[in-house]
Amino acid sequence: LTDWDADEFVFPPETVEQMASMEHERWCEEKRAAGWTWGEPRDDARKKHPDLVPYEELPDAERQKDRDAVVGLPKFLGRAGFQIEREVG
C-alpha cells in the first residue's frame, strides 16, 4: 500500500458491470463444483439454487449483490494492505 487514499478508488460503471458478471460466473462455477444445480425454490439439502443462471438472467436485486462486491474491493484490499492500480497504456 503506497497510497493512503487507495481504498477510495472507484471503478467506472462499465468495469463494475463486467467484473460483477465475472464474479457471478466464478460463484456459479464454485457452486456447480460443489454439486449444486439450478432449482426453485432454493433447497440447501438438495443443493438447488435459483441463481445458477447466466448473469444477464438474474433479477436486478441479485445482480446488485455482485456489483456491491466489486465496488467494495478497493476498501477490502486496502484493509489487507493492498491497493488497486490502473495500468497505463
Side-chain angles (χ1 to χ4, degrees):
L1 182 65
T2 60
D3 180 359
W4 291 109
D5 296 323
D7 64 347
E8 296 175 14
F9 179 92
V10 176
F11 291 109
E14 62 276 3
T15 302
V16 170
E17 199 64 19
Q18 179 183 15
M19 291 176 66
S21 177
M22 293 168 65
E23 169 55 19
H24 178 69
E25 184 58 34
R26 182 208 61 77
W27 176 85
C28 286
E29 288 175 12
E30 181 180 286
K31 284 290 195 192
R32 287 185 189 110
W36 287 73
T37 59
W38 181 89
E40 281 188 344
R42 178 179 173 162
D43 184 334
D44 291 355
R46 296 179 60 215
K47 294 188 174 184
K48 302 285 185 186
H49 203 296
D51 293 340
L52 282 170
V53 296
Y55 180 75
E56 297 75 23
E57 294 179 22
L58 287 173
D60 193 57
E62 295 304 314
R63 283 185 279 165
Q64 190 59 46
K65 291 177 185 178
D66 293 311
R67 292 181 195 120
D68 291 344
V70 170
V71 169
L73 278 173
K75 189 169 292 297
F76 176 79
L77 291 172
R79 289 183 180 153
F82 297 97
Q83 69 187 58
I84 296 173
E85 292 186 4
R86 190 177 310 270
E87 268 189 36
V88 178

